[in-house]
Amino acid sequence: FGAGVARLAAQRGAADPHDHILLAASAAMSEPVVEPIADASAAPAAPSGEEPKKARGKPKDPNAPPKPKNAFQRVTGEARAKIKAEKPELAMDLKGMAMALKEVWEATPQEEKDKMTAEYEKEMEIWRPKWAAYKATPGYKEFFELKQDWIDGRTKKKLIKKFAKEAPKRPKSGYMIFAGEIRERVADEVAKAGGGMGDIGKKISEEWSALSEAKKAEYGLQSARSKEVYDVEFAKYRLTDSFREFMDEKAKLESKQQQKKLMRTKLADAPKKPPGAFALFRAEVMPSITAETKGLSTGDLAKKVSALWKDVPEDKKATYQKAADEYKAVYDKQMLEFRRNKSYTAFLKERMKVKQRENKLLNLRDAPKKPKSVFALYAERHKTEVQPGKGAGKGTSALKDKFSQATQEEKEELERRQKELKEKYAEEVRSFKESERYKNFEKTEAAVRREAQTAAMKVMTIKFLNAAPPAPPKSPFAVFVHEKRKAVEAPEGEKKSKEAKREEVVGFTKEWEKLDKPSKAAYETTYKEKLTEWEKEVKTFMAQDIWKEYLAEAKEFKVPVKNLLAQKAAALKQLSGGAGMPTRPEAMPSRPPDAYKVFCQEMSAEMEGNSDKLLNTWEGMSVEAKAKYFTEAGKLMEQYEKDLNEFKNTEEGRNYYRDVGKVLRLRKVKNAKKLYLKDMPKAPLSAFKVFVAKTVEELKKAQPDLKGFQARKQADERWKNMTDEEKQPLLEDARVKWDEYQAKMKEFKQSAEFTKFTRAKLVSAPPAKPTGAPVKPLDAFKAFAKEMKGLGKTPEELRKAFEELPEEDKVERKRKAKELEEKYSEEVSAFHKTPEWKKYKQQQQLHQKRSNIALAKSKFCAAAPKKPSTAQHMWAVENRSVIAKEHPDLKGLAVLAKAGEMWRALSQEEKAPWLEKEKAAQEEYQKAKEEYEATDEYKAYMKVVNRYNRRPKAKAKGKGSAKSKAKAAKAGPKPPEEPADMPKRPPISPVGLFLKLNKDKGYNLKTGNEAWVQLGAEGQKEYVDKLRELQREYDAAFKQFQKSPEGKKYLRLKNAYEKKAKEQKAREKFLSGEAMPPEPKRPQGAYFLFVGDKRESVAKDLGGAKFGDVAKKLTELWGQLSPEDKKVYEDKAAGLKKEYDEAMEAYRSSEGYKKFNKAMQSINKKPKAKAKPAPKAKAAGRAGRGAGRGRGGAGAGRGAPAAADSDSDSDAMGSDSSSSSSSDGDSD
């Protein structure tokens, strides 16, 4: 019990001034506390090999030059030992000892006192320079901090003592209760023996050690009872205003002391503030004043110096002031240099942390406490059931083991309780955030951050931005003002006041307004030139290391980056490889002027650049007069578009627009992420990361000087040394959190926001409109607005100007606009018939299809199983580190390439285990894939895919799977594999042969063609002749191949494949699409109608029998059925067959089927095969089932119009001729 309470108090530290009370009960079962000794200097030295005891009382500096003793100290120091020997009882009576020493001092003759005082003064004259020199040493600074810490501690103790008067009295420990009972007796015994106060404590400690455990337990029980009463009283006291006031005062005092300590330690090397004019005067006159007026107090000396300063003449004061200014200039320069150091930056960070801590202690002390975890609730309930302590089987470790074996019911009950506590906590937090305390906290927090950021920005400006290029003029007007001021230079040394500068700018503004448009345009050009030049300089500056250091420090202080560029964000992104727009190429043509600007360029000289006159003239011109300028502007625009198209076709243009497209896509995705993924759940940390974060925090608390990387390294080592059992709770917790995250993500992915984000991310840009497409003309008003472009008029002003036009002018404009609209309609109708438009529409449809399928895949296929790795990849991953170690010169993909070589060199026995792993992974993947394909998500995805593919559904035949056959139908027929001995066709051109023979030179298509041209006719002739020879050899070899059995088989299969491919293409072209009605579904026969009715009841009667047994039983029942009962099913089948025949007749009459029939006749290129006469019994047996329903069926189903020859070579060779090979599977 005592050890547990002591640990609790140690964990809480100095957070509560009354936490020392927690030690009251612990002392009852712990080691005795020795009574304090009277004199810290008299503390006994620690035995050799043991750590020395911590010194008590005011610290003393052993390295300081010893200060001489004055007369009183000399007399009383010699007398103290004599008095102790003559009167031992005074050793424990401090007041009596002081009175005895006073009597000795008063009895000392005055002559002796004066003599000792004179000696003291002489010694002090020697000691003072030594003391002044010592104060400049590092040793004194260390001692001063130690002493100041002791003073701060005393100040804090005084504050605690002040408020402790109203607090409940701390209960005594068992040891202190025992000591109180025997102290008087022990004091008498020690006094008789001539001992001191320290001996009393030792004696009590010895008697406590000799006490029996049972007796100690009695004292401990007394202390514990007192502690229970105290806890209740102290809990009430914590709610009083006195306690709150104490905590506030304590937080403020600690913050003040820490800030002063930071200033003493972090700013120790800062330059000292320079003296002012008065301080320089005082330093000059002070020696003479102190010599004349010995014994004058400090206050009187200050008054004397102040009076003398008043009598100093003004010219003399000016001399002092000039000297002070010089000192100040030196100080400012030194201070700038000091602020560049990391110590000042560290001071700013630490000061901000101290102020933030004070703010939290003052304003968040009453904030709601977070509820305990499920394990903490369980530990609170069962902590008395385990042995206290640390290690396996004790304390927390034992509770964890016990918790892992707890019943599920108890865990669920604790989870419900925790949920209630969390809900209560959330409500308390909401209520607290509305309080004045929290609002004051946020206000103070913002002020603290603002103060730190302001100071940091000043420091970073000194360190980094002073080296940046000076900013350019902010506007063309600023360029104008600069030139005006430069023309009228002020006399040297004269500074204008703010009012004078303001009046000057007002005058410049009036002059600027009188300038004509060309003059302003000239200043605009100058402004742009200066801005462009400045941007180049800044980009160069921002590419240097100094800018990277600045960005890192700005990020550390969380301050905004200085706006060096007008397009700061773009420049930063460009430098960091982000989404900045690419630089506009110099070869890219510039947009030409509009009609009004063309007019201004022509008439500017004639009208002396008068902007108003130019504008009035333009507005007064008729449409016919303006036509000249519109024609010229149109020609310039046509030339611009032509140049732009040529630029787009150049390599530089293609690269530029490709880069622009990338940037726009990145921006689109980034904006969509900000807009739609604000509420997306955050992925939880892994068990390892959670452990490292927690361990690093604990290590930094225990060792504040530990660096971050060192703490992470230690945490990593601890994790590696943990057993699987120790890791299990962390891994389990991480797994639970991950499952919760996955569930939230699954729910979030079904939301509209995620769908919008996916659409923005996956949907690519639509295809560009084809060149040569008609451009829609402008209506009357828009054409008029285009004429007025460049005049700076608003849409409302343009609308009003259009309405004020003469009626004839408006009618003429509308007539021309209507003519252009009609002409546009005709051009559009004609253009829609061109191949370019059809190709564009196909691209549009393909883009829509790909976009929607990609969206469906991202939405529904998130849980789809991933394809397993191959055996080679598994082996490469396992051995990559070994390969990299053996071949250190290989990097990246080169390691994988080497792994591929080594894999191919392995024997079959060495590959066998990995191939088995691959096989097992494939089987597991296939199983997961089948399970996934049965889910609603996959069905929803396939629904979207089928909607765009518009392929007919595969029909189940026999025991085959409809899904697999639909997949096979979608994939289409596969071409036969080429035999190994089939001759290889040579390249089709000499250039191809040249590239093939020289592929080791790394030619691409462009460089290869250039090299081919450089060969010339003589060099090319070699490859032309060689190609002819290769072609002759190929022709001869292929003729031999055609005669071989393998060649005949391959060519037969190839012809069959090409025929089937053409047939499938015809089906997709003519038998699919919205205009084509669906093919009627073939009805079932009488037997299958009977099976459909009876299958469920028969399967139930047989009790889980196999499918074959059920089918056999149904066949027996059908055979036992009476003719009357069979007739019911036969009549029903005949009715369905009649409906089917009528539907098939209508289907075959459709336009698409007719086109398909015609295409099939062209593909077959042979007359319709005659059907072989069939036996009547067989024909009758098949009559109830209708005609063949496969693709090769005779005149039925979705097959060809003519019957396929079932005895074809392809079938004889065992090829997969068509999906109609088992057309009767359903009906048999």
Side-chain angles (χ1 to χ4, degrees):
F1 172 79
V5 176
R7 281 198 305 274
L8 179 59
Q11 289 170 3
R12 293 181 61 175
D16 187 338
H18 304 288
D19 276 347
H20 56 267
I21 298 165
L22 289 170
L23 296 170
S26 69
M29 306 299 293
S30 60
E31 291 299 321
V33 179
V34 181
E35 289 282 73
I37 57 177
D39 188 0
S41 60
S48 61
E50 296 184 11
E51 291 186 6
K53 291 184 179 180
K54 186 177 179 181
R56 303 178 65 180
K58 186 176 180 179
K60 296 179 180 179
D61 188 0
N63 300 320
K67 188 177 182 180
K69 294 182 179 180
N70 57 26
F72 179 78
Q73 290 171 333
R74 292 184 184 187
V75 171
T76 55
E78 295 172 359
R80 184 183 298 274
K82 294 179 181 179
I83 294 172
K84 278 186 178 182
E86 294 172 0
K87 300 178 180 180
E89 67 275 7
L90 294 181
M92 293 180 291
D93 187 359
L94 297 179
K95 186 176 180 181
M97 176 63 76
M99 295 302 294
L101 292 172
K102 182 181 178 182
E103 291 174 0
V104 173
W105 170 253
E106 290 175 350
T108 304
Q110 188 61 39
E111 295 80 9
E112 190 175 347
K113 289 180 182 179
D114 294 340
K115 181 182 177 183
M116 286 189 286
T117 302
E119 291 175 358
Y120 168 73
E121 290 294 339
K122 290 179 181 179
E123 291 174 356
M124 284 296 292
E125 289 178 3
I126 299 171
W127 175 82
R128 285 192 185 99
K130 291 182 180 180
W131 176 247
Y134 176 68
K135 285 178 72 174
T137 62
Y140 173 77
K141 293 179 181 178
E142 292 177 9
F143 168 72
F144 183 83
E145 284 305 313
L146 184 66
K147 179 182 175 183
Q148 192 61 44
D149 290 342
W150 178 79
I151 293 171
D152 291 345
R154 282 179 61 86
T155 308
K156 194 184 295 184
K157 285 180 181 178
K158 288 179 182 178
L159 179 68
I160 294 172
K161 189 174 182 180
K162 173 185 173 184
F163 283 92
K165 295 176 182 177
E166 300 180 21
K169 189 175 180 181
R170 172 187 171 183
K172 293 181 180 180
S173 66
Y175 174 77
M176 295 304 292
I177 295 172
F178 169 76
E181 291 178 357
I182 67 171
R183 183 181 298 278
E184 189 175 349
R185 173 178 61 79
V186 170
D188 292 340
E189 294 175 359
V190 170
K192 291 176 182 178
M197 294 180 67
D199 298 324
I200 297 174
K202 289 179 182 178
K203 182 69 175 174
I204 294 173
S205 177
E206 290 170 1
E207 293 197 16
W208 171 261
S209 300
L211 212 61
S212 66
E213 292 299 324
K215 196 67 176 175
K216 287 181 181 179
E218 290 180 12
Y219 286 110
L221 186 60
Q222 292 181 41
S223 175
R225 288 172 182 167
S226 303
K227 177 70 168 56
E228 290 175 2
V229 176
Y230 169 78
D231 287 342
V232 176
E233 293 177 354
F234 190 72
K236 294 178 183 178
Y237 171 67
R238 288 177 69 94
L239 302 175
T240 62
D241 293 336
S242 175
F243 180 77
R244 291 193 182 93
E245 185 183 354
F246 162 70
M247 293 300 289
D248 289 348
E249 292 295 327
K250 178 172 172 285
K252 291 176 183 177
L253 177 64
E254 288 176 347
S255 177
K256 183 179 178 182
Q257 290 175 348
Q258 289 172 6
Q259 288 183 57
K260 286 185 176 181
K261 187 177 180 67
L262 283 174
M263 293 181 71
R264 292 194 306 270
T265 55
K266 301 293 183 182
L267 304 184
D269 297 330
K272 305 304 177 187
K273 284 191 177 181
F278 174 73
L280 291 171
F281 170 75
R282 181 181 55 197
E284 185 179 317
V285 301
M286 185 61 76
S288 59
I289 294 175
T290 45
E292 294 173 0
T293 57
K294 282 191 175 182
L296 207 62
S297 66
T298 306
D300 294 336
L301 280 172
K303 290 177 182 178
K304 180 82 173 171
V305 174
S306 298
L308 292 173
W309 173 253
K310 289 179 182 179
D311 297 336
V312 174
E314 289 299 324
D315 56 345
K316 186 69 173 175
K317 284 184 178 180
T319 305
Y320 286 114
Q321 186 61 49
K322 185 177 180 180
D325 292 341
E326 291 174 357
Y327 283 121
K328 180 71 166 56
V330 174
Y331 166 77
D332 290 341
K333 187 177 180 180
Q334 291 174 345
M335 196 63 189
L336 285 176
E337 289 299 320
F338 172 74
R339 286 180 176 175
R340 292 174 183 269
N341 298 333
K342 290 185 178 180
S343 58
Y344 185 72
T345 308
F347 164 73
L348 294 177
K349 292 180 196 172
E350 294 296 329
R351 186 179 68 176
M352 181 177 70
K353 289 179 182 178
V354 169
K355 290 188 177 183
Q356 286 176 331
R357 179 179 179 274
E358 178 189 1
N359 185 30
K360 288 179 181 178
L361 291 175
L362 288 176
N363 295 307
L364 297 186
R365 187 174 58 254
D366 298 329
K369 301 296 183 288
K370 284 188 177 180
K372 295 181 178 179
S373 64
V374 174
F375 172 72
L377 293 172
Y378 179 85
E380 185 180 27
R381 179 183 292 181
H382 297 278
K383 64 184 178 182
T384 57
E385 300 173 11
V386 299
Q387 182 181 354
K390 292 183 179 180
K394 297 179 182 179
T396 306
S397 177
L399 286 169
K400 285 180 180 178
D401 296 338
K402 195 174 181 65
F403 180 70
S404 63
Q405 299 171 5
T407 62
Q408 191 63 30
E409 292 77 10
E410 185 177 11
K411 287 183 178 179
E412 290 175 356
E413 186 264 327
L414 291 173
E415 286 174 358
R416 287 194 297 271
R417 184 181 167 194
Q418 190 206 27
K419 186 177 179 182
E420 293 172 0
L421 292 172
K422 281 185 175 180
E423 291 173 355
K424 183 182 177 183
Y425 169 72
E427 184 61 35
E428 290 174 349
V429 167
R430 281 193 292 271
S431 176
F432 178 73
K433 285 188 174 181
E434 295 174 359
S435 65
E436 288 299 322
R437 278 259 183 177
Y438 185 76
K439 291 176 183 176
N440 190 37
F441 164 76
E442 287 189 319
K443 183 179 177 182
T444 309
E445 181 75 9
V448 170
R449 283 197 172 278
R450 190 162 52 250
E451 178 192 25
Q453 288 177 353
T454 303
M457 287 175 74
K458 289 179 181 178
V459 171
M460 287 187 286
T461 301
I462 295 168
K463 290 173 68 174
F464 305 109
L465 299 183
N466 283 345
K474 294 182 179 179
S475 64
F477 174 69
V479 177
F480 171 74
V481 171
H482 175 71
E483 289 185 1
K484 284 287 184 181
R485 284 178 172 167
K486 192 175 180 181
V488 186
E489 294 183 355
E492 187 177 353
E494 181 182 336
K495 292 184 179 180
K496 294 182 181 179
S497 64
K498 289 184 178 180
E499 291 76 11
K501 288 183 178 180
R502 195 176 295 114
E503 291 175 3
E504 188 180 47
V505 170
V506 170
F508 290 151
T509 304
K510 292 178 181 178
E511 291 184 35
W512 173 260
E513 291 172 353
K514 293 177 182 179
L515 289 178
D516 53 15
K517 196 166 184 178
S519 300
K520 289 183 178 179
Y523 284 111
E524 177 78 24
T525 304
T526 306
Y527 162 70
K528 288 181 178 178
E529 289 174 356
K530 289 181 177 292
L531 182 63
T532 304
E533 184 181 352
W534 174 76
E535 286 180 348
K536 289 180 180 178
E537 293 175 357
V538 170
K539 285 178 182 178
T540 304
F541 172 75
M542 293 171 75
Q544 298 173 6
D545 292 339
I546 187 173
W547 177 255
K548 294 174 185 176
E549 294 174 15
Y550 168 69
L551 290 179
E553 197 157 312
K555 183 178 179 181
E556 191 174 8
F557 274 103
K558 298 179 181 179
V559 299
V561 178
K562 183 76 174 176
N563 187 7
L564 285 182
L565 282 179
Q567 297 82 18
K568 171 197 67 178
L572 286 176
K573 287 176 182 176
Q574 274 188 324
L575 289 172
S576 60
M581 290 297 287
T583 306
R584 180 188 175 98
E586 294 182 1
M588 185 176 179
S590 300
R591 184 173 291 275
D594 55 21
Y596 174 69
K597 288 182 179 178
V598 173
F599 165 76
C600 290
Q601 289 173 0
E602 182 179 322
M603 304 300 293
S604 179
E606 184 180 334
M607 298 187 183
E608 299 177 353
N610 192 313
S611 302
D612 294 336
K613 193 173 181 180
L614 286 167
L615 181 58
N616 294 333
T617 304
W618 173 260
E619 290 180 344
M621 291 171 65
S622 64
V623 176
E624 291 76 10
K626 292 177 180 178
K628 168 189 172 183
Y629 301 105
F630 279 106
T631 303
E632 188 173 349
K635 289 179 181 178
L636 292 173
M637 180 56 72
E638 288 177 6
Q639 184 63 37
Y640 164 73
E641 290 175 352
K642 182 181 177 181
D643 295 343
L644 187 63
N645 287 331
E646 290 178 359
F647 171 75
K648 288 180 179 179
N649 292 326
T650 63
E651 185 175 358
E652 186 179 20
R654 286 192 294 270
N655 292 339
Y656 172 71
Y657 280 101
R658 183 177 62 249
D659 294 342
V660 169
K662 288 180 182 177
V663 170
L664 294 178
R665 284 193 294 274
L666 286 173
R667 286 184 179 179
K668 183 180 178 183
V669 173
K670 188 175 181 181
N671 292 336
K673 192 173 183 180
K674 288 182 180 178
L675 186 61
Y676 301 124
L677 300 189
K678 292 182 288 188
D679 301 326
M680 186 174 75
K682 299 291 185 278
L685 297 175
S686 64
F688 170 70
K689 289 185 177 179
V690 170
F691 172 80
V692 168
K694 185 177 179 182
T695 307
V696 166
E697 185 179 359
E698 293 173 355
L699 288 170
K700 286 194 173 183
K701 282 184 180 178
Q703 306 175 49
D705 296 334
L706 198 65
K707 302 291 184 183
F709 74 93
Q710 295 171 335
R712 286 190 292 272
K713 186 176 180 181
Q714 290 185 24
D716 185 37
E717 290 174 357
R718 287 190 186 182
W719 173 264
K720 290 177 181 177
N721 295 331
M722 287 173 67
T723 63
D724 292 340
E725 292 76 14
E726 291 172 330
K727 291 180 181 178
Q728 189 58 35
L730 292 169
L731 296 172
E732 183 64 23
D733 186 48
R735 187 191 63 77
V736 170
K737 289 181 179 178
W738 180 257
D739 292 343
E740 292 175 356
Y741 165 72
Q742 291 288 354
K744 291 178 182 177
M745 277 301 298
K746 186 176 180 181
E747 181 181 354
F748 178 74
K749 285 184 177 181
Q750 303 299 322
S751 64
E753 285 75 12
F754 187 78
T755 304
K756 291 175 183 177
F757 167 73
T758 308
R759 185 177 296 276
K761 180 181 178 183
L762 297 179
V763 175
S764 58
K769 286 188 177 181
T771 55
V775 180
K776 189 172 183 179
L778 302 176
D779 59 22
F781 169 70
K782 289 181 179 177
F784 171 77
K786 187 177 180 182
E787 293 175 13
M788 299 294 109
K789 185 180 177 182
L791 302 182
K793 290 191 175 184
T794 62
E796 292 77 11
E797 291 173 340
L798 289 171
R799 176 66 67 180
K800 186 177 179 181
F802 180 75
E803 295 298 332
E804 292 175 353
L805 287 174
E807 192 62 31
E808 298 80 10
D809 193 3
K810 283 197 290 186
V811 170
E812 180 63 20
R813 287 175 180 275
K814 290 178 181 179
R815 184 188 64 78
K816 286 184 177 180
K818 188 176 181 181
E819 288 178 359
L820 292 173
E821 181 66 32
E822 292 172 354
K823 183 180 178 182
Y824 168 73
S825 300
E826 294 174 1
E827 290 174 350
V828 167
S829 300
F831 184 73
H832 282 183
K833 297 176 183 177
T834 60
E836 289 81 4
W837 174 257
K838 292 178 182 178
K839 183 179 179 181
Y840 170 67
K841 292 302 291 183
Q842 288 175 356
Q843 290 174 344
Q844 267 192 329
Q845 292 170 0
L846 183 62
H847 172 262
Q848 184 70 19
K849 171 184 173 181
R850 288 175 176 172
S851 299
N852 287 346
I853 289 178
L855 288 171
K857 188 174 183 180
S858 67
K859 184 175 182 181
F860 300 118
C861 299
K866 306 297 182 212
K867 284 188 178 181
S869 301
T870 62
Q872 178 180 342
H873 187 262
M874 293 179 186
W875 181 87
V877 170
E878 184 76 17
N879 294 277
R880 180 169 185 168
S881 58
V882 178
I883 296 170
K885 192 174 181 180
E886 293 176 354
H887 303 84
D889 54 322
L890 298 180
K891 303 293 181 185
L893 295 177
V895 178
L896 293 179
K898 184 65 178 177
E901 293 178 10
M902 296 174 69
W903 167 261
R904 288 189 288 274
L906 293 177
S907 65
Q908 200 61 32
E909 291 76 13
E910 291 172 322
K911 291 181 181 179
W914 300 98
L915 294 172
E916 286 296 325
K917 287 184 180 181
E918 179 186 6
K919 184 179 177 182
Q922 282 287 351
E923 291 174 356
E924 187 178 348
Y925 165 71
Q926 289 297 335
K927 183 179 178 182
K929 183 181 176 184
E930 290 173 5
E931 292 176 357
Y932 169 70
E933 288 179 352
T935 61
D936 293 337
E937 287 80 3
Y938 180 76
K939 292 175 183 176
Y941 168 68
M942 289 306 300
K943 187 175 180 181
V944 176
V945 173
N946 292 332
R947 186 193 315 147
Y948 284 99
N949 288 336
R950 303 187 188 283
R951 301 292 174 85
K953 291 184 178 179
K955 299 180 180 179
K957 298 180 182 180
K959 298 181 182 180
S961 168
K963 274 188 182 179
S964 61
K965 292 188 178 182
K967 190 171 182 181
K970 179 180 176 181
K974 293 183 178 180
E977 292 186 7
E978 292 184 358
D981 57 348
M982 179 178 172
K984 304 299 180 185
R985 184 183 293 275
I988 60 175
S989 67
V991 182
L993 180 62
F994 169 75
L995 292 175
K996 182 179 179 181
L997 296 177
N998 293 278
K999 63 181 181 181
D1000 57 325
K1001 296 182 179 179
Y1003 289 142
N1004 58 25
L1005 192 59
K1006 182 180 178 181
T1007 57
N1009 282 329
E1010 291 174 354
W1012 171 259
V1013 171
Q1014 290 174 2
L1015 286 176
E1018 291 298 327
Q1020 294 174 1
K1021 187 175 183 302
E1022 175 189 350
Y1023 295 97
V1024 173
D1025 295 341
K1026 189 177 290 186
L1027 180 62
R1028 286 175 184 167
E1029 182 63 29
L1030 290 173
Q1031 187 64 43
R1032 281 195 297 269
E1033 293 175 0
Y1034 168 75
D1035 292 341
F1038 195 76
K1039 285 180 181 179
Q1040 293 297 325
F1041 174 74
Q1042 286 177 317
K1043 295 176 183 179
S1044 67
E1046 192 172 9
K1048 290 179 180 179
K1049 179 181 177 181
Y1050 169 73
L1051 294 174
R1052 183 169 58 249
L1053 293 176
K1054 183 182 178 186
N1055 291 334
Y1057 156 72
E1058 291 173 349
K1059 181 179 176 182
K1060 289 174 189 175
K1062 291 177 182 178
E1063 180 183 345
Q1064 184 175 358
K1065 188 174 181 181
R1067 286 181 182 279
E1068 293 174 358
K1069 185 174 181 180
F1070 300 116
L1071 299 185
S1072 62
E1074 296 179 356
M1076 186 67 190
E1079 179 185 357
K1081 187 177 181 182
R1082 187 163 182 246
Q1084 292 179 327
Y1087 171 73
F1088 281 99
L1089 291 173
F1090 166 77
V1091 167
D1093 284 349
K1094 302 295 183 180
R1095 183 186 296 277
E1096 187 176 353
S1097 59
V1098 170
K1100 189 175 182 181
D1101 293 340
L1102 293 178
K1106 294 181 179 179
F1107 182 83
D1109 296 335
V1110 175
K1112 186 176 180 182
K1113 182 66 176 176
L1114 287 167
T1115 305
E1116 290 177 5
L1117 292 175
W1118 174 256
Q1120 296 169 5
L1121 213 61
S1122 64
E1124 292 79 10
D1125 292 336
K1126 282 187 179 180
K1127 191 173 186 306
V1128 176
Y1129 291 104
E1130 289 171 352
D1131 291 344
K1132 186 176 180 181
L1136 293 173
K1137 178 66 170 58
K1138 184 178 179 181
E1139 293 177 3
Y1140 168 73
D1141 290 341
E1142 292 172 355
M1144 279 301 298
E1145 188 66 28
Y1147 176 73
R1148 289 172 180 166
S1149 301
S1150 64
E1151 190 67 27
Y1153 187 84
K1154 291 177 181 178
K1155 290 180 179 178
F1156 170 73
N1157 197 3
K1158 186 176 180 181
M1160 287 303 300
Q1161 290 175 1
S1162 175
I1163 292 169
N1164 291 328
K1165 289 185 180 178
K1166 58 183 179 179
K1168 187 176 180 181
K1170 295 182 180 180
K1172 295 181 181 179
K1176 290 183 180 180
K1178 188 174 181 181
R1182 298 176 62 89
R1185 296 193 297 270
R1189 60 185 289 196
R1191 296 184 183 181
R1198 299 172 62 177
D1205 186 1
S1206 61
D1207 295 330
S1208 66
D1209 288 344
S1210 297
D1211 292 340
M1213 296 302 295
S1215 67
D1216 186 11
S1217 59
S1218 78
S1219 61
S1220 64
S1221 59
S1222 59
S1223 62
D1224 298 333
D1226 285 348
S1227 56
D1228 289 343

